[in-house]
Amino acid sequence: PGTNELEWICLGRRERRDNDDEAAMLRLRSTDGGRTWDEDGLFIPGLRYPPDMAVLSDDSILVAYGYRDQPEGARATRLFDDGRRWSETELVVHDTAPNFDTGYASVVIHDGWVVIAFYDADGGDVYEYEKAFCEVVRVREEEILEVLV
């Protein structure tokens, strides 16, 4: 990036194709303050989306997302080197979702705590939203820094 430009990272869900192997989290980058974006490649393969990001105290990035492979639930990983590589381990936020309609995580960091909220559609059938619910997990930031390396 130029001296006055920030590099931006955007994570999102790659549209599904004919099979779920092609679905993944996609990473985009902008080096001109968000005016243009380049696909930086697939990021975190598998059914892991949609993501939310927050910057940790050491300037690494925490990414929380729905984990839609079995066992379904919510997980998190940590990005290093301005988002160019991620931790070798995943934090299992929860793994008891009743089906793959789970995730939509939201991450907030405040006063040494990381709060991750996510939802589950708890029905016998997917998309039974009247039975959907939200869960919130709170973890000390120092624990995340120790575990996700």
Side-chain angles (χ1 to χ4, degrees), residues 110-114 138-145:
H110 179 70
D111 199 24
W113 289 96
V114 174
R138 185 176 78 155
V139 181
R140 276 274 184 217
E141 182 181 4
E142 63 193 37
E143 292 179 43
I144 287 177
L145 295 174

Side-chain angles (χ1 to χ4, degrees), residues 5-104:
E5 297 291 343
L6 294 175
E7 183 174 44
W8 291 7
I9 301 169
C10 176
L11 299 179
R13 173 180 163 173
R14 178 179 176 181
E15 242 348 275
R16 289 187 190 175
R17 305 292 191 255
D18 291 333
N19 71 47
D20 284 337
D21 290 339
E22 295 180 7
M25 200 180 303
L26 183 66
R27 182 176 53 205
L28 301 163
R29 288 188 181 277
S30 174
T31 57
D32 59 8
R35 287 187 292 279
T36 61
W37 293 88
D38 293 314
E39 184 175 323
D40 195 27
L42 289 180
F43 178 74
I44 307 180
L47 301 174
R48 290 160 174 78
Y49 44 72
D52 190 30
M53 298 183 284
V55 178
L56 296 165
S57 61
D58 69 348
D59 289 330
S60 63
I61 302 168
L62 181 68
V63 180
Y65 44 86
Y67 186 83
R68 296 178 177 199
D69 292 316
Q70 291 189 355
E72 291 102 350
R75 296 195 181 189
T77 193
R78 192 167 148 212
L79 307 182
F80 303 95
D81 303 327
D82 295 322
R84 287 177 175 77
R85 67 179 182 86
W86 60 90
S87 57
E88 294 178 17
T89 56
E90 284 181 303
L91 173 68
V92 177
V93 178
H94 102 105
D95 64 356
T96 58
N99 57 53
F100 69 86
D101 192 7
T102 183
Y104 296 91

